[in-house]
Amino acid sequence: MSTTESTSLRWAGVDTTDGRFTAVFDDAGVVYASGWTDDPDYLRSLIAPALRTEEIVESDGGKVVAAVDAYYAGDLAAPSRVAVRQKSGPFLTAAWAALRDVPAGPPVTYTRLAELAGNAAAVRGAASCCARNAAALFVPCHRVVRTDGTLGGFRYGLDVKQSLLDREAAAA
């Protein structure tokens, strides 16, 4: 195991209107990976090797699943109240932190995300931040679009990204 011996990873899934959502988290409920899939091993593969464990065990999900349920019930800030752990270089770490502060409502552009992460010239880095984000919804990369307003990409499909943006726009 690459993480500390006291850390074990768990997973739980929940049905949403956008499909099955699964999260991988530790004993304290800190999210390491999540997304619209029913495959916890796929999510495990997205976790930085230094944080990954050999296996993950199923759990009830506790506050992690409760945050997903709350989001879909209208509390769009619920996932931002759950801690996340991802590991990368300084810019991606800063960009993930900046994304956590982007509220539901009008999306930001990759250019704006680069600015929020402290390097306005790192637009490609901002796109990489979204592409390499293992903790979808908890680090809301779906809230980032291209400068022309088109969606760009999304690991779980543009239909899910559009659904999330529509839900957030309706509530704003």
Side-chain angles (χ1 to χ4, degrees):
M1 163 174 23
S2 298
T3 59
T4 62
E5 289 301 320
S6 62
T7 301
S8 63
L9 294 181
R10 306 191 176 291
W11 71 272
V14 60
D15 290 321
T16 74
T17 56
D18 293 314
R20 186 76 172 164
F21 186 91
T22 302
V24 176
F25 48 91
D26 66 18
D27 295 335
V30 176
V31 172
Y32 286 59
S34 57
W36 290 266
T37 178
D38 61 0
D39 186 353
D41 289 324
Y42 168 72
L43 292 173
R44 184 190 154 287
S45 75
L46 300 178
I47 299 170
L51 301 176
R52 194 179 304 151
T53 58
E54 289 298 318
E55 66 178 1
I56 53 178
V57 295
E58 190 170 8
S59 169
D60 67 5
K63 69 181 181 180
V64 174
V65 166
V68 176
D69 285 339
Y71 174 86
Y72 278 93
D75 181 359
L76 303 178
S80 68
R81 295 189 293 269
V82 174
V84 172
R85 185 163 186 214
Q86 296 191 87
K87 185 176 177 86
S88 189
F91 180 78
L92 288 185
T93 300
W96 288 327
L99 262 177
R100 299 262 302 165
D101 291 333
V102 173
V108 299
T109 63
Y110 293 104
T111 301
R112 180 65 181 136
L113 177 58
E115 293 167 357
L116 293 170
N119 186 346
V123 177
R124 287 182 188 223
S128 180
C129 152
C130 293
R132 294 184 55 196
N133 176 29
L137 192 63
F138 295 93
V139 178
C141 57
H142 66 275
R143 294 180 182 158
V144 185
V145 297
R146 293 179 176 151
T147 305
D148 67 2
T150 57
L151 294 181
F154 191 61
R155 182 186 312 270
Y156 301 100
L158 295 182
D159 55 334
V160 173
K161 183 172 183 171
Q162 187 65 62
S163 174
L164 297 169
L165 291 173
D166 290 348
R167 175 178 291 102
E168 294 177 2

